[in-house]
Structures are given as C-alpha cells and as structure tokens.
Amino acid sequence: MADAALKQPAATGTEPVLKAHDLARYFDVSPPFLNRVIEGAPRQILKAVDGVSFEIQKGRTFSLVGESGCGKSTVARLVVGLYTPTRGALQFEGQNIAGLTRKQMVPIRRKMQMIFQDPYASLNPRWRVVDIIAEPLRFFDLTSGEAATQKRVGELLSFVGLSPKDGLKYPHEFSGGQRQRISIARALATRPRFLICDEPTSALDVSVQAQILNLMKELQRELGLTYLFISHNLAVVYHMSDDVGVMYLGKLVEVAPARTLFVKPRHPYTKLLLDTIPDLDMKGEERAPVAGEVPNPINPPSGCTFHPRCPFANDRCRAEIPQPIAMPDGAKVACHGVEEGRIPA
Amino acid sequence: MAIQSDTKPLLEVKNLRIEFPTRRGVLTAVDDISFDIMPGEVLGVVGESGAGKSLTGAAVIGLLEPPGRIAAGSISLEGQRIDNLPYEKMRQIRGRKIGAIFQDPLTSLNPLYSIGRQLVETIQTHTDMSESQARRRAVELLADVGIPAPERRVDQYPHQFSGGMRQRVVIALALAVNPKLVIADEPTTALDVSIQAQILDLIRKLCKERNVGVIIITHDMGVIAETADRVAVMYAGRIAEIGPVRDVIKHAKHPYTHGLMGSIPTIGHDTEKLTQIDGSMPRLTDIPRGCAFNPRCPKAFDKCFVDRPELIQVEQTRAACWLYEKEAVHG
Amino acid sequence: MTDSTDDIIVTRSLWFRFADGLRRFFDGDVFYSFRHSPVIMVAFAVTVLYFLLAFLAPWVAPHNTYDVMTLNLMDGFKPPVWEAGGDPRFLLGTDDQGRDVLSTIMFGARVSLTVGFLSVLLAMVLGIVLGMVAGYVGGKTDAIIMRIADVQLSFPAILIVLLIDGFTRSVLPRGVHEQLALVVLVLSIAFANWVQFARTVRGSCLVEKNKEYVQAARVIGLHPALIMLRHVLPNVMGPILVIATLGLASAVLTEATLSFLGVGVPPTEPSLGTLINVGSDYLFSGSWWITIFPGAALAVLVLAVNLLGDWLRDALNPKLR
C-alpha cells in the first residue's frame, strides 16, 4: 500500500466536505395518463427523501442507516447527481451542486465518486477490467498517452489488492469481492476526495465483507478520504462510522456520533433497530419482540411517521411533524417524546 | 452425536453427494456430507454462496433442479429412504411430512388465489377434512402465525399482505398439514431487519410447540445464533464443522469457522481491522486437493494439501480439520 | 510490476483483441450449443450456401439469364433433366422464355436476399436509434416514439408496403420508379419492420439503464449518447441479433409476396417471388417445375433462416441454457 502517488494530505480541520440542507426528492409514481383519465386514478407522489439536513466533515465517515424504502440510497444518488433534488440545498466543498447540469458537474465528479452495491451489475460485462478502470482516466484525460494509462491502471489494481495482470480479464472471471475491488479501483482512478458507498458489502459474503471493509478503512487512512456510507447493517455501520444518521420514511430521525448513538440511542426507532441486532455473544438474552412493519411510503402516517409503531406516541405525535432538536452531546433527535422528556433520554 | 437422545433421528442424511454434469466435466457441488436431525430440533446450515447449503436443502425436499442429481448417499425420513422415490410418491411425502419456506414469499404463493383457498387446498389434498373444517383450520393457522383478524384476512390475496405478513402466510402453508420437518431456505433474507427477528421467533416457537424438526439454511450467522440448536458450517460442498450453536459460535474449532466469526463486525467491540480470511471460496471447477480451505487457511500444514480431512470429534463439536487429528487418535 | 504492466499494453493491440475474441467465441456457450445441434449446423450450412450461390450467381450459375442473347425460345418449357424430354443443359428445366430454372433461382435469390438483407439492416439501424432514444431519454420523447410505433403496428406490414409503393408510383414518373423500385422496396419493408427492433431495444435499454454499470458511467460524467453507444448498445445486441435473423426471413417473404402480387421488384430483375408468379401461369398446363422449384427454394431458405433465429434466441438466453 506504499503508493505515494495516490496519497493526499491527511485530514485537517473540521471544514465540512458536504452539507445538505432540507434536501428532498419526490417521485411521481402515478398510473399512466390514460389510466388517470379513464379510471380517475389520482396522481401519486412518493416522497422518497423529505427534508434531510446533515454535514459530513473532512476525513470522516458519515453513515445513513435504515430499512428498505427509507430513502438512504436516494440521498446517495442525490449527492452524486444521479437525481436532481426536488427541494433543498447541497454544498460540496463550499460550492452549491444542487441542480447543476451534466457539464457543470464534470469538474466536481472528479472529486466525488461512487461505489455501488451489486458487484455483478456495476461492471460492464463486455468490457475488460483494464478498460473499465481506464474509462474515467480517459474521460478526464488524466494520463498522457496510452502507456501511462495502462501503467496507472496497473497501479490502481495493485492498490486494491489485485494484480496488474488481472486487467486482462473480464468481470465474470472474478468473485464478488474481487469485483468490488475493481469497482473501488475505478472510483479511485480520478483521485477523488469523497466517496459515496451505497451498501458496498451487502451483496458479499461475510468473510469477503471483512476484506472490503478493511480495504476501505485502509484507503481512508492513507488517502484522507471522506465517506458517505449507506447500509442497513448496523454492525457494519458501527464498525465503519464516525457519525450516523438514522432514516425512517424519507426523514432523518436521529443523527449522532456513532459511539453516542449506539451507546445511548434516543429516538424510539433507533432503539427498535438496535434491539433487532442478533446476539452473537450468545448471552441468551430475551429480546423484546418488535411489532409492526414500515408503512407504505406513498401514504405515510400523519405527524411523526413512526407513531403507529411507537409505544410512546400521543396526540401531538399523530398531528405534528417533529423537528430535529440538538442535544448537549451533539446528537440531533426528531422526536416529541424526547423533546418533552416523556421518553427517557 | 452431540445431542444425546433415546428417540430415533427424524432425518438422516448419509454421505450425500450432489453432482452437476456440465460440458466441462462433472462438478461435485455437495461432497459426501452426513448429518441428522431429531424431532423438534432446529439445525442451522450456514455457509457462504456456493457452499452447497441450498442444494442440500433442495435434495432433502426432492426439488433438486436438473441437471443436478444425487450421485451417492441416502436421505431417510423417519427411517424411510426418500432420495430414491418416484416423483409422485415424493410429492405426497413432501406435502404431508415436509414443509418448505423460501426466501421470497411471493414465489411460494399463487397471486391469483386468495390465501384461504391456497391453505384449504393444501389441507384438503393431504388430509380428509371437509371444506368447512379445512377453512376453520386455515383461520386457526393464520391466527397461530400472528396474522391479526384472520377471519377477514383469510379471503384476501397475497398482494394485499406486506412482506412480513406474506412470509407468515408461507409459514402457515408450510405447517398446514402438520409436517414432521420444515426446511427454511433463507427465510428472512428478503425482509427488513425489524421483521426478520419476528419471523425467526415465530418459526422457532411454532416448531418447538409442534415438535417439528427444522433445517434453517442461511448465510447469516446472526440468524443461526437466534434460532438454531445445532449448526453445520459448510464450505465448498463439505461440512467444515458441526455442533451445538453455542460451542460453534463461541469456541469455533475449524479455522474457517473461526475466521468467519472474527470477520463479523460486532457492536460495542471496537477494532480498526476485522479479522479477514483472504481469498474467496474456490469455484466448483477448481476445488483444491486435500482440504478445500487450505489456500485460505492460516494454519495449513503439509497434510492439508494432500489428504482430505473427515469430521473429527473435538470437545463439543466435530470439525473436519487435520489440526485435531492427534486428539482424535490419542485423546 | 513493470513487466506485468507491459502485459496489459499487449491487450490494446487490435490483433490480440481479435484473436482473443475469436478464442472466446469458439470456447463460448453459443458455439458449444451450435456444435451440438445438427439441425442448426445444417440450417447454417444451407443459409451460407444460399448466400454464396446468390452472390456468386454471375460466375457460378450455368446460364446468365439476364443475357438475352443466350436465350433461345426453342429451349422453352423443357422439363427437368430426369423427366422425359429433359435437356442435360438445363438441370431443373426451363421456363417459357427458355431460361434455365436453376440459374433464375440463383439470380432470383440474389435479388431476394439483397432486398431482405438491406431492409433488415435499415430497419435495425432505425429501430436501434429510436428505441435507445425512447428508452434512455424516457418521458414525452418515449411516449411519442412508442405511440407512433403502436399505430404503425396496428397496420399489417404488407399494407404499409403497398401504401408506400402505391404512393411512390403515383408521385414518381414511370421510368424513375422502375429504376428506384428496389430502393423503394427496401425502404418500405424497412419502414414496416423497425417497430420490432425499437420495442426490443427500448425494453432492454430500460433494464440496462438502471443497472449500476450505467450509473457508474453517469457518475463519471459521460455524455448520455456515449453511454448508450459504449455501454448500453453492446449489452442489448443479443436480442437484436435474434430479431434481425428472424426479420431477414420475414423480409424475404414480404418481398416475395409483393413480387408475386406484381408490385415488388421490376420484371427485369426477377426475384424468387416474381419467378413463382410467372411460373404459376403454367402450373396447370403441366410445366410445374417453373413455379415449384423457386417456391421450394424460397421455403427452404426461410425455414433455414428461421431455424437459425430460433436457435439463436435460445442460445443467447442464459436462462434457457
């Protein structure tokens, strides 16, 4: 891993790399025009992300955790510009990036890359690995000449623990973990500072997951990378993160430093999530069974969307949408119960 | 066996070998594995993708997809061989004695029929209940699996149920005719974490109550820790280690199990680096000679590259590893 | 590390890529499936033979039927060689004008295959472009293109071709139309067949576009047209190839139908359809060979190409493999 060429100055200061304010993205999931006219079916709007604010500090890992449909992957795609936000502001290194055109985004894309979930779908099956990794190099014209490109691809491959010779092969000749390494090499090709990782290990076997998580931590240390890490696996999030945001139905219900969140969860939903973690220490503790399921996000419950599953819900929770409240230890919680002190914090 | 019991095993799998003839030669996906299950016992079969765990389950239910075939060994349910039965006979046994729960509840339910009709049909095919008796039984079953207002919901269609509720319906279907054995292949993988625990608790509770043997096939050690009594860890078509869950998880003997446990991040346990097992599971086309784990094993020595280890009793568990050879001979 | 990077540079050489591609093909599942189905090997051989005979017709045909000087009306209505009165110079007999039936079939197949091949090629290009634009851009563009396709699909292909043909006939002066007849035919058959390509491409495009490798290309910042060309197109080529093969058979049939009806190719350049049409006049006067042989030739060609297309669909579909 002694690759001086790839190294960047270590993280300094607490200047935020990414700032999201009141970020929202709605999807029109209405039935087709003809159905709406003939059947009188109404327009349906899915509020995948609805007013999310957070900051990511340089050199740190911010994780978004939540169940499927909570909008965490949509946030990742908003940040990287695959979706344009319906509302809200997004700043990368002090520059507004919400709603930029493709051309305007190009210089920013160099500094911001993404690692995807499915290593079987994220590499073009008809391309050789060398061409896959060289694509960003060629697009940004980062190397002078073909020989330099090849050399750089070789470096990147060794950097992620593969051999430069592997560049000759096609993706199908690799295992899931190796493909994820190729995906990481491609993301690192432009020497980005910020990586968005959308469930990078959830399609991998556990022993391979450990390899990839270790690699990602090493890369962060060596290159001073900042991560936005998306996962549904709380143990992985605990292992990787400095700060964690818990999402439920398009909203952030709790944001806190990882150690605070896992030791002292405040929002009832965070508590519920922590209760579901399987106990590998075999202490034989009986867990409180969790009731209910995530409601349909097209018609979310009124007020606090968690109220139908919340043991502490009252009339205010059913009527009024809670706003994030800052706690003394740096946590932010959107819960009336915590605000009023009804829920033991 | 680790579990001491007077009763006979419910299911006995002996030297099972599953092969896939391909154009590049015959691949052995499951190679000479043996295990058994007592009535009411929950056996977890855990392994990474390609370990052969799902094929083992499919072979027991008799739903091995061609060209896969059982090439050797035997599977016996309550003392009767079931691996060599004609299709029709096996279908009856599958209906009456073995229930199945799969990963995606939508594939187990017919979207065109109400769940009541599917339950009633299943019950009537395998028992001689009348229509109204079967319907009463269906409502009871739905209540048992924790579906609220079963009298009303029995006439609804699968798409009217949420993911977790659908999986409950599938469990009701699997238990409809009081099977002796239930095979659950990744029963919670498609579900959200908060529902996962509910479903696992339900499977475990219902099967214990009814003295049903269960095989839970999963890639997730967490699922095993939650539900199983005993666990078989599979690697490259073989059982690497088998024993009581507690012993396997807390005091793994096989280097693979040991590495696997270390590679799972745990909350409250701060490490910069997870234990990692380098490399990945070999493809079926090039399984190494000797112990299949030898290229990734930190403790491999000469013998591991030459001879294939069989399961050896080590304390409470049995592990297929040459490290324990001496103990077996002398201790 | 230096020497291994050199190895990577080797892959850039065109020759290496070609040789490696060839090796991968012969090692691949498609070739394996080909080698293990005798029917398909026969169908393939038959198709290749047709193409060879058709395109080499001026050199390999026993007689040049376009050369009026070599024709002799005295040779007319000669039955095939094995019938009484057969002439060893004319293996499959002669037609009313004394042309060798075998040679007319070769020249006819030449016209039929040219029209079929070109119209499929044109339909394919049109369909790919429109299908990709519809699939990738989506929204209103997609709606407009696909509604046009739907309308077009509700007319039978033959009707569309007849309409276009009739239209050009009335617009263009007679002489010009004669000259352009082949072009009009190719254009109109292509226009009647692009929808199938467009629909398939759009469908595959919708699937591929949501795959993460396309999103990865978008994250790099590539222009959408470049993404479609470099990433999406190679991955939707499989189904296109299948439709193109089956489309060739149906285009040849459409052309034959039109020529049989007398609105296709000009009589000076007879295709298989024209031959069948001409011969059908003499069917009941006992000269069956004039129409039966071209008919059989057409049937065998279409059958072989269809078999190939069906096989290709199965061979390229990983689920059925």
Side-chain angles (χ1 to χ4, degrees):
Chain A
M1 283 279 163
D3 192 329
L6 282 159
K7 277 185 190 158
Q8 282 169 357
T12 46
T14 50
E15 152 218 355
V17 171
L18 188 89
K19 251 173 145 171
H21 180 73
D22 194 28
L23 197 61
R25 169 71 201 202
Y26 299 168
F27 291 100
D28 189 346
V29 290
S30 313
F33 177 73
L34 276 178
N35 299 52
R36 290 209 304 276
V37 172
I38 296 169
E39 299 163 11
R43 274 203 169 270
Q44 287 187 317
I45 303 295
L46 170 67
K47 298 180 177 177
V49 176
D50 194 12
V52 164
S53 306
F54 59 89
E55 279 182 12
I56 307 178
Q57 305 298 327
K58 191 167 180 184
R60 290 168 75 90
T61 302
F62 178 80
S63 292
L64 285 175
V65 66
E67 295 176 279
S68 54
C70 72
K72 54 190 192 301
S73 284
T74 310
V75 171
R77 280 166 171 69
L78 281 169
V79 169
V80 84
L82 285 174
Y83 294 145
T84 45
T86 306
R87 183 181 81 224
L90 204 52
Q91 276 190 353
F92 178 68
E93 297 184 338
Q95 185 192 353
N96 173 49
I97 56 166
L100 291 191
T101 61
R102 190 188 65 82
K103 276 221 175 91
Q104 290 169 318
M105 271 300 273
V106 165
I108 290 156
R109 289 247 159 82
R110 242 190 92 171
K111 304 178 197 162
M112 185 202 282
Q113 280 293 311
M114 183 156 176
I115 304 170
F116 293 89
Q117 171 176 5
D118 184 353
Y120 292 87
S122 60
L123 307 174
N124 188 338
R126 296 189 184 265
W127 282 29
R128 277 169 204 282
V129 167
V130 57
D131 292 321
I132 291 173
I133 298 175
E135 190 174 34
L137 294 173
R138 292 182 180 140
F139 177 73
F140 290 103
D141 212 7
L142 294 177
T143 42
S144 50
E146 193 49 42
T149 308
Q150 303 288 335
K151 187 160 173 288
R152 175 94 173 107
V153 170
E155 281 168 20
L156 284 162
L157 279 170
S158 1
F159 199 63
V160 296
L162 294 170
S163 144
K165 282 205 170 93
D166 289 330
L168 303 169
K169 298 183 190 161
Y170 285 86
H172 71 88
E173 298 173 64
F174 294 92
S175 68
Q178 288 172 318
R179 287 181 203 219
Q180 207 57 308
R181 287 173 193 269
I182 295 168
S183 207
I184 292 173
R186 171 178 59 191
L188 291 178
T190 60
R191 299 172 209 265
R193 296 164 212 180
F194 182 41
L195 278 190
I196 291 110
C197 318
D198 185 13
E199 304 254 13
T201 60
S202 61
L204 302 177
D205 284 318
V206 272
S207 72
V208 180
Q209 165 174 285
Q211 296 170 11
I212 298 295
L213 293 180
N214 284 343
L215 175 66
M216 288 180 62
K217 278 211 146 187
E218 254 170 54
L219 291 173
Q220 181 167 45
R221 216 172 30 243
E222 295 208 4
L223 307 178
L225 293 170
T226 308
Y227 287 142
L228 170 58
F229 191 89
I230 312 287
S231 180
H232 70 278
N233 185 327
L234 287 155
V236 169
V237 165
Y238 178 86
H239 179 71
M240 290 299 288
S241 325
D242 298 302
D243 302 287
V244 180
V246 180
M247 285 189 77
Y248 188 74
L249 283 178
K251 289 195 163 67
L252 268 173
V253 296
E254 183 164 357
V255 185
R259 301 298 170 265
T260 313
L261 188 105
F262 282 93
V263 173
K264 201 174 167 191
R266 290 192 170 90
H267 196 284
Y269 179 64
T270 313
K271 290 181 180 165
L272 177 155
L273 275 185
L274 291 183
D275 270 344
T276 61
I277 299 166
D279 170 27
L280 278 176
D281 280 344
M282 303 298 291
K283 290 194 217 84
E285 281 172 14
E286 271 300 307
R287 294 178 313 174
V290 178
E293 291 184 39
V294 183
N296 183 350
I298 293 175
N299 292 310
S302 63
C304 171
T305 48
F306 187 62
H307 82 247
R309 301 174 76 184
C310 182
F312 306 100
N314 64 11
D315 286 343
R316 187 181 172 206
C317 298
R318 280 182 276 275
E320 193 184 320
I321 298 173
Q323 296 304 319
I325 312 283
M327 296 285 142
D329 57 1
K332 280 183 187 165
V333 189
C335 175
H336 296 313
V338 172
E339 186 194 356
E340 294 163 12
R342 277 189 283 130
I343 300 177
Chain B
M1 285 307 306
I3 289 207
Q4 299 301 315
S5 173
D6 299 333
T7 46
K8 280 202 201 129
L10 169 72
L11 179 83
E12 272 182 295
V13 174
K14 276 198 187 129
N15 308 101
L16 179 68
R17 184 180 162 91
I18 301 173
E19 289 180 348
F20 280 83
T22 72
R23 54 183 254 223
R24 299 186 201 276
V26 175
L27 301 181
T28 307
V30 170
D31 192 4
D32 195 17
I33 66 168
S34 306
F35 61 88
D36 47 20
I37 298 173
M38 297 292 156
E41 187 187 29
V42 181
L43 175 74
V45 178
V46 70
E48 301 182 284
S49 42
K53 54 191 193 301
S54 286
L55 287 173
T56 307
V60 172
I61 328 178
L63 288 178
L64 210 53
E65 294 261 348
R69 55 163 195 239
I70 296 177
S74 67
I75 303 170
S76 315
L77 184 69
E78 297 183 308
Q80 183 200 358
R81 284 276 298 259
I82 57 169
D83 55 299
N84 53 2
L85 293 179
Y87 179 81
E88 193 48 34
K89 197 98 201 323
M90 187 59 207
R91 201 182 62 81
Q92 283 176 11
I93 291 197
R94 196 152 62 224
R96 276 181 208 159
K97 295 189 172 171
I98 308 179
I101 302 167
F102 296 110
Q103 176 173 344
D104 181 3
L106 278 182
T107 56
S108 317
L109 297 171
N110 186 333
L112 300 178
Y113 295 150
S114 73
I115 57 154
R117 176 157 171 206
Q118 297 184 49
L119 278 165
V120 167
E121 240 169 43
T122 310
I123 295 167
Q124 284 195 303
T125 312
H126 299 290
T127 62
D128 41 13
M129 279 191 200
S130 72
E131 174 98 31
S132 60
Q133 279 175 317
R135 199 183 145 85
R136 255 200 309 278
R137 171 104 180 98
V139 174
E140 269 171 37
L141 276 165
L142 290 181
D144 287 350
V145 295
I147 288 180
E151 302 82 1
R152 187 169 55 81
R153 302 217 71 176
V154 70
D155 292 318
Q156 292 185 340
Y157 290 82
H159 70 91
Q160 292 169 292
F161 290 77
S162 65
M165 285 296 157
R166 258 181 229 142
Q167 197 61 302
R168 286 172 191 264
V169 174
V170 173
I171 295 173
L173 261 177
L175 294 174
V177 280
N178 293 321
K180 304 283 196 247
L181 179 70
V182 165
I183 297 194
D185 190 349
E186 303 276 5
T188 57
T189 308
L191 302 175
D192 271 323
V193 279
S194 66
I195 298 142
Q196 200 166 329
Q198 303 169 16
I199 297 296
L200 291 176
D201 284 350
L202 185 69
I203 293 177
R204 186 175 165 87
K205 184 181 124 242
L206 290 178
C207 293
K208 289 283 169 200
E209 278 171 14
R210 287 152 209 238
N211 211 27
V212 172
V214 183
I215 301 181
I216 288 201
I217 297 161
T218 178
H219 67 284
D220 187 345
M221 256 313 179
V223 168
I224 299 287
E226 292 285 303
T227 34
D229 300 313
R230 258 184 335 130
V231 57
V233 181
M234 285 190 72
Y235 186 82
R238 311 255 305 154
I239 292 179
E241 183 161 3
I242 183 167
V245 166
R246 226 190 133 73
D247 297 282
V248 172
I249 286 184
K250 297 288 279 184
H251 312 284
K253 291 290 177 293
H254 197 287
Y256 173 64
T257 323
H258 197 79
L260 199 62
M261 294 312 303
S263 64
I264 303 172
T266 40
I267 288 172
H269 179 68
D270 289 336
T271 40
E272 183 56 28
K273 201 169 171 240
L274 298 165
T275 317
Q276 68 177 52
I277 313 174
D278 289 326
S280 50
M281 177 121 52
R283 296 186 180 199
L284 291 180
T285 42
D286 46 16
I287 291 182
R289 205 160 94 89
C291 172
F293 187 59
N294 69 43
R296 305 174 75 187
C297 184
K299 295 181 178 164
F301 58 100
D302 307 349
K303 191 162 190 179
C304 306
F305 296 92
V306 184
D307 294 321
R308 198 173 73 176
E310 299 300 324
L311 286 170
I312 301 166
Q313 186 78 40
V314 193
E315 293 163 29
Q316 297 303 308
T317 81
R318 292 188 303 149
C321 179
W322 289 122
L323 286 175
Y324 304 103
E325 193 191 11
K326 284 203 187 91
E327 295 175 35
V329 178
H330 305 292
Chain C
M1 183 158 147
T2 341
D3 49 20
S4 36
T5 14
D6 287 344
D7 282 347
I8 296 178
I9 294 168
V10 173
T11 64
R12 301 291 301 163
S13 95
L14 271 177
W15 166 245
F16 176 91
R17 295 209 163 195
F18 177 72
D20 190 55
L22 224 56
R23 182 189 59 76
R24 275 161 47 84
F25 173 77
F26 284 115
D27 204 33
D29 292 317
V30 173
F31 185 68
Y32 178 85
S33 140
F34 178 77
R35 225 157 34 86
H36 283 73
S37 30
V39 176
I40 296 313
M41 284 195 279
V42 171
F44 182 74
V46 168
T47 313
V48 169
L49 188 72
Y50 265 90
F51 272 91
L52 281 178
L53 288 182
F55 287 93
L56 299 177
W59 297 277
V60 298
H63 302 268
N64 187 347
T65 52
Y66 288 136
D67 189 351
V68 190
M69 301 303 287
T70 65
L71 297 182
N72 186 348
L73 277 181
M74 294 303 288
D75 291 331
F77 299 114
K78 287 231 154 75
V81 137
W82 57 89
E83 297 271 312
D87 186 326
R89 283 183 299 152
F90 307 110
L91 190 62
L92 299 179
T94 59
D95 67 1
D96 55 330
Q97 317 228 359
R99 287 183 293 204
D100 175 37
V101 170
L102 179 62
S103 304
T104 53
I105 289 176
M106 286 190 194
F107 280 97
R110 186 178 158 90
V111 176
S112 293
L113 281 173
T114 309
V115 170
F117 189 79
L118 288 180
S119 60
V120 165
L121 199 68
L122 199 63
M124 186 164 94
V125 171
L126 198 65
I128 288 177
V129 171
L130 288 173
M132 289 247 257
V133 169
Y136 198 87
V137 179
K140 289 210 174 70
T141 319
D142 177 29
I144 292 168
I145 295 176
M146 291 331 282
R147 288 304 81 75
I148 294 174
D150 286 348
V151 171
Q152 162 133 33
L153 213 57
S154 56
F155 291 102
I158 211 94
L159 190 62
I160 294 172
V161 181
L162 281 172
L163 275 173
I164 298 176
D165 187 75
F167 176 74
T168 49
R169 248 170 231 276
S170 60
V171 171
L172 297 172
R174 196 177 163 74
V176 180
H177 184 265
E178 286 276 284
Q179 280 177 349
L180 289 179
L182 273 183
V183 178
V184 170
L185 198 61
V186 167
L187 281 178
S188 45
I189 295 178
F191 193 68
N193 287 323
W194 69 274
V195 175
Q196 272 214 335
F197 287 97
R199 287 198 154 190
T200 311
V201 171
R202 175 180 173 270
S204 313
C205 200
L206 286 177
V207 174
E208 296 297 320
K209 139 176 130 166
N210 287 322
K211 287 202 181 153
E212 289 174 346
Y213 73 90
V214 174
Q215 297 193 0
R218 288 179 62 198
V219 170
I220 291 170
L222 263 66
H223 192 277
L226 209 56
I227 295 179
M228 283 201 259
L229 198 68
R230 288 213 287 206
H231 289 284
V232 180
L233 184 59
N235 283 296
V236 302
M237 271 325 273
I240 295 176
L241 219 60
V242 174
I243 302 184
T245 314
L246 295 173
L248 178 66
S250 84
V252 167
L253 273 183
T254 309
E255 182 279 325
T257 313
L258 292 168
S259 300
F260 182 82
L261 296 174
V263 291
V265 293
T268 49
E269 288 177 74
S271 74
L272 289 176
T274 327
L275 297 180
I276 298 168
N277 180 22
V278 172
S280 65
D281 293 343
Y282 307 103
L283 189 56
F284 293 105
S285 61
S287 307
W288 52 267
W289 57 89
I290 307 180
T291 191
I292 294 296
F293 287 126
L298 177 68
V300 170
L301 170 65
V302 170
L303 179 66
V305 175
N306 270 331
L307 281 173
L308 273 184
D310 279 342
W311 161 79
L312 206 57
R313 171 166 41 209
D314 297 347
L316 291 177
N317 188 344
K319 272 192 196 141
L320 296 175
R321 224 183 261 150

